[in-house]
Amino acid sequence: MDVERTFVAIKPDGVQRGLISEILGRFERKGFKLIALKQLRPSRDLAEKHYGVHRDRPFFEGLVEFITSGPVVAMVWEGDGVIASARTLIGATKPLEANPGTIRGDLAVNIGRNVIHGSDGIETAAFEIGLWFEPSEINDWMPSDQSWRSES
């Protein structure tokens, strides 16, 4: 598999419920590398661009209102197959359909309060990373154990 990057955001309900470390830990334990992280309260403009694909849907306004209602933790994760793997870690959009062991299956309350967002494909990930982060906010770095592995 190729090393990919994906965008993940802990939504206001996840932040307010104190689930940040739980969610970060799941990605770290899976072996993905965190290369960008920030907490912010998204502007309406950012939210409308992020959810632009849903602009004509009846739930668009509710999505925008919710994501701008409080702080969000925005992240970029890197790793082999990280986009598909992150989607598996996150679980189905509807928490009642999400498997136990997934973030939404274990932590989400309902579809309107489903704790987390993750990019659904390569193009979406690139768009969302560019929307939420400046290039200077993304840190390319090599884990120290990489050099340990290459010495053997």
Side-chain angles (χ1 to χ4, degrees), residues 30-50:
K30 184 71 178 170
F32 296 125
K33 182 170 66 168
L34 182 62
I35 61 170
L37 172 76
K38 64 182 172 183
Q39 184 181 58
L40 70 154
R41 186 166 185 167
S43 67
R44 181 167 185 86
D45 181 57
L46 175 60
E48 287 179 350
K49 288 176 182 171
H50 179 82

Side-chain angles (χ1 to χ4, degrees), residues 48-65:
E48 287 179 350
K49 288 176 182 171
H50 179 82
Y51 289 121
V53 67
H54 302 298
R55 185 172 303 282
D56 297 327
R57 313 274 309 261
F59 55 83
F60 174 75
E61 187 60 33
L63 288 174
V64 171
E65 289 296 320

Side-chain angles (χ1 to χ4, degrees), residues 5-81:
R5 290 180 174 178
T6 195
F7 174 77
V8 174
I10 303 172
K11 296 178 181 179
D13 56 325
V15 172
Q16 292 177 17
R17 289 178 51 211
L19 301 175
I20 297 168
S21 65
E22 168 72 22
I23 292 169
L24 285 170
R26 289 183 185 215
F27 281 87
E28 288 181 323
R29 285 189 300 278
K30 184 71 178 170
F32 296 125
K33 182 170 66 168
L34 182 62
I35 61 170
L37 172 76
K38 64 182 172 183
Q39 184 181 58
L40 70 154
R41 186 166 185 167
S43 67
R44 181 167 185 86
D45 181 57
L46 175 60
E48 287 179 350
K49 288 176 182 171
H50 179 82
Y51 289 121
V53 67
H54 302 298
R55 185 172 303 282
D56 297 327
R57 313 274 309 261
F59 55 83
F60 174 75
E61 187 60 33
L63 288 174
V64 171
E65 289 296 320
F66 176 62
I67 202 74
T68 59
S69 70
V72 168
V73 173
M75 302 169 275
V76 180
W77 290 91
E78 185 177 84
D80 290 340

Side-chain angles (χ1 to χ4, degrees), residues 33 141-147:
K33 182 170 66 168
W141 60 279
M142 181 68 66
S144 59
D145 67 347
Q146 293 296 316
S147 63

